[in-house]
Amino acid sequence: MAVREILIYPDDILAMVAKPVANPTSDEIKTLVQDMADTMYDAPGVGLAAPQIGVSLRIAITDTQWRSGRYEDNNHDKNIEPEKDLRVWINPEFLWCSDETSVFEEGCLSVPEVYENIERPSAVRLRWLDLDGEQHEQDFEGFEAVALQHEFDHLDGKLFVDYLSPLKRKMVRKKMMKRYKS
Ligand code: NI
């Protein structure tokens, strides 16, 4: 178990375009994914991209079950682990995005305590590789589609705050600097 430090906005690595993974089946990638999972569940969060722990590679993980399950249930006993549904996305690519959009409140482990409504395509078709190097294609909609777009933006050096107005983004930046540079 290795919980890694999560980089906080603004950070140069978070703003970089990440490199494709050359060998998804390598031990190095398996270890990285394990560290990412440990870090995401520890936070806790519903998604994490490799650049958020300082590794500029095109890998992200999600667990949207973590959100829709007992985790957000007020009655949930903190001693009982919510059911896990860890998904690993290597070299993901959107093949299609719907014209129809929807708005969800988004947050990010790299921008703590900031939540904003963001508009994105409601449905997407995705192609990606798994840890066995197998290629998959699948359609997603609803919260899952949004979570995937948020995570894969990280691989292009983009954060959800980049969708905000310049003024709002400046305020978020100030807030993060104040909190984390002191
Ligand atoms: Ni994020």
Side-chain angles (χ1 to χ4, degrees):
M1 168 125 185
V3 173
R4 307 258 297 253
E5 190 192 337
I6 296 173
L7 300 181
I8 302 298
Y9 171 80
D11 183 286
D12 289 347
I13 293 177
L14 291 176
M16 279 167 63
V17 175
K19 288 199 184 103
V21 175
N23 189 356
T25 60
S26 65
D27 287 347
E28 188 194 342
I29 295 303
K30 281 194 181 71
T31 305
L32 171 64
V33 166
Q34 187 58 57
D35 285 0
M36 287 171 67
D38 292 343
T39 306
M40 180 180 77
Y41 287 120
D42 177 72
V46 297
L48 188 78
Q52 291 182 276
I53 58 165
V55 179
S56 197
L57 284 175
R58 302 190 80 79
I59 304 185
I61 60 170
T62 56
D63 189 340
T64 51
Q65 172 89 16
W66 192 250
R67 171 187 186 263
S68 57
R70 277 176 292 182
Y71 170 59
E72 288 221 330
D73 180 348
N74 290 334
N75 300 320
H76 125 239
D77 180 342
K78 291 214 160 52
N79 297 312
I80 301 171
E81 282 230 325
E83 273 174 51
K84 289 183 182 178
D85 179 26
L86 180 68
R87 306 289 307 266
V88 180
W89 318 91
I90 300 175
N91 298 344
E93 239 185 300
F94 289 119
L95 303 174
W96 168 84
C97 293
S98 66
D99 291 331
E100 193 194 323
T101 60
S102 42
V103 175
F104 278 86
E105 191 181 65
E106 296 188 25
C108 180
L109 295 175
S110 292
V111 195
E113 288 166 37
V114 175
Y115 302 91
E116 294 286 347
N117 285 329
I118 306 291
E119 185 177 9
R120 298 184 187 268
S122 309
V124 294
R125 178 166 305 136
L126 184 70
R127 178 192 286 160
W128 76 97
L129 299 178
D130 64 20
L131 284 168
D132 295 319
E134 301 282 336
Q135 185 173 286
H136 301 270
E137 245 182 71
Q138 198 184 323
D139 290 354
F140 296 92
E141 57 178 16
F143 180 73
E144 235 179 352
V146 166
L148 292 172
Q149 291 174 74
H150 175 116
E151 292 317 320
F152 304 157
D153 268 356
H154 278 296
L155 309 182
D156 290 325
K158 200 166 179 183
L159 274 70
F160 81 101
V161 293
D162 292 324
Y163 294 97
L164 303 175
S165 70
L167 179 66
K168 242 181 176 171
R169 194 162 57 240
K170 206 172 158 185
M171 283 164 63
V172 171
R173 218 181 155 93
K174 258 190 171 165
K175 188 177 168 186
M176 292 299 120
M177 306 268 261
K178 213 172 177 179
R179 191 172 155 188
Y180 290 94
K181 296 273 156 85
S182 58

